[in-house]
Amino acid sequence: MNVLEEVKKYKDYAVAMRREFHRHPELSWQETETAARIRRELDEMGIPYEEVVGTGTIATLKGKKDHPVIGLRCDIDALPIKEVKELPYRSENDGVMHACGHDGHISMLLTAAKVLSDHRDELNCTVKLIFQPAEEKTNGALKMLETGRVGHLDTVCGMHIFPFLDAGTISVDPGPRYTSAAFMNITIKGRSGHGAMPHYAVDPIYVGAKVVDALQSIASRETNAMDTVVVSICTFHSGTMANIFAETAELSGTVRTFNPELRKQLPGMIERIIKSTCEAYRADYEFDYYCDIPATINDEHCSEIAAGSVKKLLGEEGLMKYAGTPGGEDFSYFLERFPGVYAFVGCRNESKGCSYSLHHERFDLDEDALVNGAAFYVQYLLDAQEQF
Ligand code: NI
């Protein structure tokens, strides 16, 4: 089949679906209406599905052969951002917005499902369509996988609408795509007292400031300069008045790297610095390191297959090289278990006002990209079924 032509038949559907989801965004783990709408569409297509972890959905489309089993995954949640752009399909859920393009992801997977459903007797595989909740909370993928109901996948394909690449291009480079992403809460425990008499107190702000400073030595003095390492303290709260030492300071931050070995070592390095700095200045601490999702790393073989798929759809000039990016993505849990590929689907178009970054209150995407993404799901599946 000519995949691009088949997908183009459903362009109006893809746009309508994307706008519908855009109008009704829902936060992580609250995607009830979104999931219901996805399931209605699957019912219409006659594709059986099961509900997983509440708002997740796994649909199974059987082709002529049971194997290979190929997973196509999208995420479905929105963000707590107030949309400011005037659009006919602007968010109707005040303070919640599809600012990460997951509305487009759902639309692309449903559109791919339409085409695959039309051609099910041409498929030499089993397709699992995975609609994953709570990517933004970075725990939807793992929760779904832990149920065991995803089963074994011979290969898996995910994608993100990508405003850093022009619409009409796709990047499927092998190796690191997104860094790992961990978060931390640090409580510096001092001793409160009068601002005029520091000798009776242990000032948690002073100690916290030393900790913030010392943590930067990890990236600048402890790890290999060839490794990407980001250790950021992003909140620092303490104190009530200009002449009172607080009892505690609360800090929080995030940690990123592409290197899986370093990912394991980072919490230890960070705690060592917090512990010894606190000891040096007579303070105590609590350290909570959580939500440590792995880096998203594309399998080389799958990237090669995917590069061929992109060229078939968009020509040589449609295949873009793009270095990895220091964001987090919980599709990494799929790629830890199964060989697969994560694609960046260009959606930038300045002439349509679509040039804002993901998570921006004015984010919007060039809807022409929906066709490319949907077509890529289908083409990758057709190309991969011959290889596994
Ligand atoms: Ni996203």
Side-chain angles (χ1 to χ4, degrees), residues 48 75 84 136 165 173 180 189 195 197 215-216 220 226 244 270 308 325 364 374:
D75 42 17
V84 297
E136 299 293 354
L165 289 174
D173 300 47
S180 64
K189 298 159 106 178
M197 291 172 259
L215 286 176
Q216 293 315 311
S220 68
M226 299 304 284
I244 302 172
I270 292 167
T325 166
D364 196 12

Side-chain angles (χ1 to χ4, degrees), residues 1 41-50 57-72 109-131 150 153 377-378 381-382 385:
M1 77 171 109
E41 292 302 312
L42 293 167
D43 280 333
E44 289 246 316
M45 294 179 224
I47 303 177
Y49 57 84
E50 56 177 327
T57 305
I58 300 178
T60 305
L61 184 62
K62 284 201 176 290
K64 284 184 296 188
K65 292 186 189 162
D66 289 341
H67 296 283
V69 182
I70 300 178
L72 305 178
L109 190 51
L110 285 173
T111 305
K114 284 255 185 205
V115 172
L116 292 169
S117 176
D118 289 350
H119 295 269
R120 45 178 102 190
D121 51 350
E122 293 167 43
L123 303 179
N124 295 316
C125 65
T126 297
V127 189
K128 293 231 174 157
L129 305 159
I130 301 163
F131 297 87
V150 172
L153 304 175
Y377 272 133
V378 176
L381 180 123
L382 294 177
Q385 71 178 4

Side-chain angles (χ1 to χ4, degrees), residues 135-210:
E135 190 282 323
E136 299 293 354
K137 285 236 164 115
T138 65
N139 57 2
L142 190 58
K143 285 223 160 74
M144 268 189 132
L145 288 161
E146 281 174 347
T147 64
R149 284 153 76 188
V150 172
H152 174 75
L153 304 175
D154 292 288
T155 180
V156 63
C157 171
M159 62 180 72
H160 210 295
I161 276 291
F162 209 62
F164 311 107
L165 289 174
D166 289 336
T169 66
I170 297 180
S171 147
V172 290
D173 300 47
R177 303 278 73 206
Y178 287 112
T179 53
S180 64
F183 299 90
M184 57 184 168
N185 292 321
I186 304 165
T187 303
I188 308 292
K189 298 159 106 178
R191 187 163 63 242
S192 64
H194 197 295
M197 291 172 259
H199 55 297
Y200 287 130
V202 175
D203 175 8
I205 294 179
Y206 180 78
V207 182
K210 297 283 184 193

